[in-house]
Amino acid sequence: MSIPGNDMDAIDAAVDLAKRTKGKPTVIIANTTKGCGVSFMEDQAGWHHKVPTADQVAAAMKELDERKAAL
C-alpha cells in the first residue's frame, strides 16, 4: 500500500492494517516530502546534508508548532 508518509494518521492506519494482515507479506510505501512543514527546508534537497543554525532550528520549530496547532 502507498500512503502519504508525512501524515501520522495514515502511517498509524497502515501499520494497524499490516498487523492485522495474516498469511502474506505487507509493504508500506511512505511517500514523503523532505523537510515537510518547514518553509525554507521543504523540498530542498540541500537540507539532506546541512546542519541548521540555532536560529534556523528555532524558526523551524516555530513553524512546526504553528502547523500542529492548526490541525
Side-chain angles (χ1 to χ4, degrees), residues 2-64:
S2 181
I3 62 167
N6 296 104
D7 179 342
M8 286 306 299
D9 291 334
I11 294 168
D12 287 341
V15 170
D16 286 343
L17 179 60
K19 287 178 180 177
R20 292 190 313 268
T21 302
K22 305 296 182 202
K24 61 182 179 179
T26 303
V27 64
I28 300 169
I29 300 170
N31 298 298
T32 62
T33 301
K34 293 175 193 71
C36 183
V38 179
S39 62
F40 59 92
M41 291 181 173
E42 193 162 318
D43 262 339
Q44 301 298 312
W47 281 102
H48 238 330
H49 57 82
K50 285 184 185 176
V51 176
T53 66
D55 288 342
Q56 290 169 324
V57 170
M61 294 306 295
K62 182 176 185 247
E63 285 188 37
L64 293 171

